Amino acid sequence: MKKNEEKVSFGEALKLNWRGFMLVYKQRPQMIVSRLVAPIWDTVVSYLVIWLSARVIDELAGNRDVERLKFLVIMTLAVTAVSALISAFIRRWRDIENVATWFEVIRIFINKKASLDYADLDNPKTHELISAIEMNRRFTGGGLFRVVGYFENIFRSLFQIGGGLLLTISFFTSRSTVNTGSVISPDSPLITIAVAIALIVAVFLSSHMKNKADGIWASKAKTRVYGNRAFGHYGWLGCDDGAAADVRLYEQWKICGKYVANKVSTFESKGLYAKLCRYPVGVYYAISNGISILFSAVVNAFICVKALAGAFGVGMVAQYTTSTTRVFFGIGSLIQLYGSLKNNVPYLKLEFELLDMKNTLARGTRHVEPAREDEGIEFRNVSFKYPGSDEYVLKDVNIKFRTGSRLAAVGMNGSGKTTFIKLLCRLYDPTEGEILYNGVNIKEYDYDEYLNMFGVVFQDFYITDFKLGENVSAGPITDPEKVMECLEEAGFGDKLREYKDGIDTYIGKGYGWEGVDVSGGENQKIAIARALYKDAPFIILDEPTASLDPLAEADIYSKFNEIAKNKSAIYISHRLSSCKFCDEIAVFHEGRIIEQGTHEALLSNEQGKYYELWHAQARYYT
Ligand code: ADP
């Protein structure tokens, strides 16, 4: 075992797999019934057929009573036919339950990801964790879902062993009637003990070899995950319509090739996996199979010797050889399960690392009242560092923003404007200081109610490939009139009238063949319409006009002033001319608000940053 590979005790493996099983069970309790019925039924039927076939052979080799033979053959056929039908039904039921359980397992992760704090989701470590879990699930099936299979395997093995032993007991009790002249009598308990020891040794060695081989696959999971992840990302870049132009113009397949090569070298015919298949994995599997074949040969020879000695007929030979093999495989799969439970631990650990992540963002219970006129939002000595970073992105920010007013945040790129909005919308909590709404720390409010107060258009807003109306209402279209009004207000009206399906038109080609492609500016208008539809008391535009030309931007801003009506509005823009009309302008610089006031007041300070920025931009527009 390599130094960095963690040794797992069986107790720990059992505990973790059990925890996984209970989690899936709670999500879909009914799956357990089909998973139990299937192994019981399969075992009962297979042993019944073995028993009946043995009786047919016995009758053929013995009395040859035609009536009895007829009865036995018909019974065997009937049992086989009926059981095949019932088995097919059970298998189908189990498969349906399987698919449903699979989705439930995926749902566990979807719900978890959706409930994570934004700060955690924004953290590269979380991305890596989620990606590793998804790759494991897709390419090895390891983790929660596999635990359900283990549960079924335990039952299947136990039934197999129980049924096999039941059909084998008479082998040990039957006595020879003919002297074969062998040194030790086949009836001797010594022989029985020797066979039992051989069974234990063979089954242990064979399973141990298989477990070793499986353990090697599991230990290489990281290499596989990286290889597949690189392939999953770079392998598909050429087909991604968002990236296709850049990939072609810059011949980016050269980068892709470099990363995909990692996968190829891992999986190619001379790569790591091919080598492993030859040695040691292939060798371990070969030894494992060799041992089980050797054991079957020894046991079968012993059964034949006892049959030769007249202890039982030919039919019983068939019964014993088949049932001892099944007992062998039953015990083998139990032992393998021991290894499998351990091999599943690394996958489960990653999954539980994600599922156990706690929400650290404070979630209060205070009901959100409408903003009081004399109050609003206040940042008090707010400083902020992004998680995992030592640098302050905001430092000592103090600002009061009265209800119903218009605030503009301006400043150079990277000065902290978007971060200021993210703190306001509680995507992150301040590292120091506090933000107040109606005079109360925003951490005390019910989180969802608080978020409902903001209609935001972020710089990197996201519009889905669903219907236009669904995008605006951020869900099913329940109020088409309002959807159309908001689109009109956001300046999308003319475009909307061009669409024959109106607000039912699909955006992009992801889900509707007749979907439309929209420009960056049009996309932004849809995002603005979505913010308006929310009808929230605060409306925030974070440079939403980046893809618009200056005229279109001026149009949106002047319109927005009307649309915003009595709402409180915050604008972030790199074009100062768009913010002239605001009641207050805050100038951000290197994480601080260095100036604050009306456009006229700020412009009168010739030494100020605003003055400098204004004149720098004015050169381009005058
Ligand atoms: P602005 O909106 O004024 O352009 P931002 O608030 O987006 O500025 O960024 C301020 C600083 O914070 C920048 O230096 C940026 O690199 C950094 N930053 C932004 N987002 C993150 C993040 N998720 N993690 C770490 N640093 C970030």
Side-chain angles (χ1 to χ4, degrees), residues 124-143:
K125 276 193 185 152
T126 318
H127 277 268
E128 215 169 281
L129 181 63
I130 291 173
S131 167
I133 291 170
E134 278 174 7
M135 291 297 156
N136 283 339
R137 188 162 6 99
R138 240 184 273 168
F139 297 106
T140 68

Side-chain angles (χ1 to χ4, degrees), residues 519-536:
S519 70
E522 286 158 358
N523 242 339
Q524 280 177 329
K525 289 178 182 169
I526 300 173
I528 292 173
R530 178 174 62 188
L532 292 175
Y533 186 93
K534 195 172 174 185
D535 222 355

Side-chain angles (χ1 to χ4, degrees), residues 241-413:
D241 54 358
D246 279 344
V247 167
R248 281 159 182 73
L249 277 165
Y250 292 99
E251 298 183 8
Q252 279 181 321
W253 48 82
K254 287 178 194 155
I255 320 177
C256 303
K258 180 186 151 206
Y259 286 98
V260 172
N262 171 281
K263 162 153 177 131
V264 176
S265 63
T266 308
F267 298 112
E268 71 182 357
S269 62
K270 287 187 183 138
L272 172 71
Y273 279 86
K275 274 192 199 145
L276 283 179
C277 283
R278 286 193 288 274
Y279 180 81
V281 174
V283 174
Y284 287 152
Y285 278 135
I287 296 177
S288 165
N289 287 341
I291 292 171
S292 48
I293 290 168
L294 206 67
F295 169 78
S296 299
V298 170
V299 170
N300 289 353
F302 178 53
I303 292 168
C304 290
V305 168
K306 218 166 164 177
L308 266 180
F312 40 76
V314 207
M316 293 310 275
V317 172
Q319 178 174 318
Y320 294 146
T321 49
T322 324
S323 40
T324 45
T325 312
R326 294 205 174 195
V327 172
F328 178 86
F329 283 117
I331 299 176
S333 80
L334 271 188
I335 295 178
Q336 273 171 49
L337 213 65
Y338 165 84
S340 305
L341 289 174
K342 280 182 160 191
N343 291 337
N344 201 26
V345 166
Y347 303 125
L348 283 174
K349 273 192 173 167
L350 283 182
E351 292 182 334
F352 282 124
E353 190 181 331
L354 175 70
L355 296 177
D356 288 342
M357 275 172 79
K358 299 253 180 307
N359 293 91
T360 48
L361 204 76
R363 281 161 198 259
T365 49
R366 191 184 271 263
H367 177 58
V368 175
E369 301 286 350
R372 287 207 304 270
E373 249 179 52
D374 56 328
E375 284 290 348
I377 299 244
E378 182 181 356
F379 276 57
R380 214 179 262 174
N381 302 324
V382 169
S383 298
F384 179 70
K385 293 186 220 172
Y386 276 100
S389 163
D390 291 332
E391 267 182 48
Y392 279 102
V393 172
L394 289 180
K395 193 75 191 142
D396 283 331
V397 171
N398 284 289
I399 189 164
K400 191 154 184 178
F401 171 54
R402 291 202 182 280
T403 308
S405 63
R406 309 274 187 270
L407 171 74
V410 302
M412 299 203 297
N413 274 345

